[in-house]
Amino acid sequence: MENRLNRLLMQRGEAVQEELTVKYMFGGLAYMYRGKMSVGIVGESLMARVPATHMTEALLREGARPMDFTGRTMKEFVFVDPEGFREDTDMNQWIDWGLEHARSKSASAKPLSER
């Protein structure tokens, strides 16, 4: 799954690649876009951040469930079982939501000089 996720992220071009880093988090890999977690891999599941406006739609998708890594549901996070990202179009939707979420959080962040 890691190779596939990397390939789909790289298809988004240099602008995304330049702002993308990978960290070990939640017992797996987290792909950080502009310093914000966007998607990741935990075991056999995909982990995705989803903008609040898309959470209802996201949770209706096959294989999706609220992320409860700590025993509590985490706001705007979902786990997706393999049947929910079998096709590249499905995985791309999760990536799109993850990047959209990161962009929305990055845009509202104030530079250190303004804090």
Side-chain angles (χ1 to χ4, degrees):
M1 177 185 356
E2 183 179 349
N3 289 338
R4 184 169 163 227
L5 186 55
N6 288 335
R7 175 179 55 81
L8 293 172
L9 283 162
M10 294 306 107
Q11 288 175 356
R12 282 167 166 68
E14 216 171 286
V16 168
Q17 293 172 35
E18 289 175 355
E19 297 189 72
L20 196 64
T21 58
V22 181
K23 292 185 178 186
Y24 288 97
M25 294 174 68
F26 301 112
L29 292 177
Y31 289 75
M32 312 292 285
Y33 180 68
R34 296 182 179 171
K36 306 294 180 188
M37 207 297 278
S38 57
V39 293
I41 301 167
V42 177
E44 298 297 315
S45 295
L46 184 68
M47 171 179 55
R49 293 294 307 259
V50 177
T53 56
H54 296 291
M55 278 299 291
T56 300
E57 178 185 355
L59 290 171
L60 291 173
R61 294 179 68 96
E62 185 176 12
R65 64 186 190 286
M67 184 174 164
D68 60 354
F69 185 78
T70 62
R72 281 182 40 191
T73 300
M74 296 178 69
K75 183 180 175 183
E76 299 176 350
F77 277 91
V78 297
F79 276 140
V80 186
D81 294 329
E83 63 270 16
F85 56 88
R86 193 169 288 129
E87 302 296 326
D88 282 356
T89 54
D90 297 321
M91 187 175 271
N92 275 320
Q93 179 61 72
W94 295 113
I95 292 169
D96 289 344
W97 278 331
L99 294 174
E100 179 182 338
H101 188 280
R103 285 181 187 112
S104 72
K105 299 303 177 186
S106 297
S108 64
K110 291 182 180 177
L112 287 175
S113 62
E114 295 180 22
R115 291 182 193 176

